[in-house]
Amino acid sequence: MAIIFYPSCKIQADFPAESAAVRRYLEERHGVQTAGCCRPHHPKLTPEDHAIVLCNNCANIVEESSKAGAFTYVWELIDRDADFPFPDYGGERMTVQDCWAAVERRGMQEAIRSLLRKMNVTIVEQEENFDKTRFHGPALLAPCFPGNAKLIPRRYENGNSPMFTPMTEEEQHAYFQRHAQKLPTEKAVCSCKYCRDGIDACGKTGVHILQLLFPIKESLIK
């Protein structure tokens, strides 16, 4: 059996230092092997393998298109680690932004909130949280990416899910302005690259949970 970590191409591009830190943590603490992109690699997984993911899209690809016996979010692993050196954010209030691409993953959603409490973050909930969320940043405001339709056919209904509502730039601006009214705080914590991009488009500050767990000296979130 192999334990394989998919570090997410897009997250690595956005957060190279934090991505390197979580990779070191997983390799040293949990003996995890790091793979590359999940898209070409997932066919190599066997029923004996366990995938570790931090991206919701990677999770969905592993679940629907691989033979992996199981997968676990990085956030769930860290939440179970009694020796993890959690930073302290001094009780700062932050809104949680759940992602539609993981709308039913209650265990992951609860792990995010548990981690925030352990980092001394005051959690602020939206009305549209957990399984009520319909937010996925700009990802749902354009047609479904063909590669996702092929690899994640159930969730995306072969690319025909009514959740995908292509919008003009002007319509997207109005959409994000409406969503901004649902965010009670300046910062919103996300577990998704697209949700974070969407929060920034709302005129708020999107913070990925990876940034909070593995803060770097130059981080703007402190």
Side-chain angles (χ1 to χ4, degrees):
M1 183 189 83
I3 306 176
I4 306 294
F5 172 49
Y6 292 116
S8 172
C9 301
K10 294 185 181 299
I11 293 299
Q12 288 186 101
D14 282 357
F15 310 114
E18 294 91 335
S19 294
V22 72
R23 174 176 176 167
R24 286 193 301 272
Y25 164 76
L26 289 171
E27 291 175 348
E28 295 171 5
R29 179 73 173 165
H30 298 282
V32 174
Q33 302 174 36
T34 301
C37 177
C38 68
R39 292 178 186 274
H41 189 273
H42 76 271
K44 301 177 183 179
L45 294 171
T46 73
E48 290 73 40
D49 294 333
H50 191 130
I52 306 297
V53 299
L54 57 74
C55 164
N56 295 327
N57 217 48
C58 293
N60 294 334
I61 289 173
V62 168
E63 182 178 53
E64 289 203 31
S65 291
S66 85
K67 295 180 181 179
F71 73 89
T72 301
Y73 277 90
V74 171
W75 327 125
E76 296 170 300
L77 272 184
I78 295 175
D79 191 40
R80 296 196 290 264
D81 185 351
D83 296 321
F84 189 85
F86 290 103
D88 187 331
Y89 289 95
E92 183 175 357
R93 298 173 74 249
M94 300 185 196
T95 302
V96 177
Q97 179 60 67
D98 293 309
C99 175
W100 175 78
V103 66
E104 81 288 7
R105 303 200 192 284
R106 187 64 178 238
M108 181 273 287
Q109 295 168 335
E110 293 287 6
I112 294 291
R113 287 159 171 83
S114 177
L115 293 172
L116 292 175
R117 287 190 291 270
K118 290 174 181 177
M119 291 186 284
N120 194 15
V121 172
T122 299
I123 297 170
V124 180
E125 295 283 2
Q126 299 182 64
E127 183 177 345
E128 297 171 0
N129 61 359
F130 293 109
D131 60 350
K132 298 190 290 294
T133 185
R134 297 296 179 267
F135 192 73
H136 194 13
L140 294 178
L141 309 185
C144 180
F145 177 61
N148 288 342
K150 180 180 179 180
L151 293 174
I152 315 172
R154 292 197 304 273
R155 181 176 299 273
Y156 296 139
E157 300 180 37
N158 297 303
N160 298 313
S161 169
M163 288 299 299
F164 291 94
T165 54
M167 296 183 184
T168 65
E169 185 175 334
E170 183 177 350
E171 289 170 334
Q172 290 188 35
H173 178 74
Y175 169 86
F176 287 123
Q177 288 300 303
R178 290 193 298 273
H179 192 73
Q181 301 304 311
K182 303 175 184 179
L183 303 172
T185 63
E186 174 58 32
K187 293 179 183 177
V189 180
C190 310
S191 63
C192 164
K193 178 261 193 312
Y194 294 107
C195 287
R196 179 180 174 274
D197 290 347
I199 296 299
D200 287 347
C202 290
K204 300 278 189 169
T205 301
V207 180
H208 199 285
I209 185 69
L210 184 67
Q211 294 176 278
L212 294 174
L213 288 165
F214 297 92
I216 58 175
K217 193 171 184 180
E218 297 81 8
S219 176
L220 298 179
I221 63 171
K222 285 191 173 183

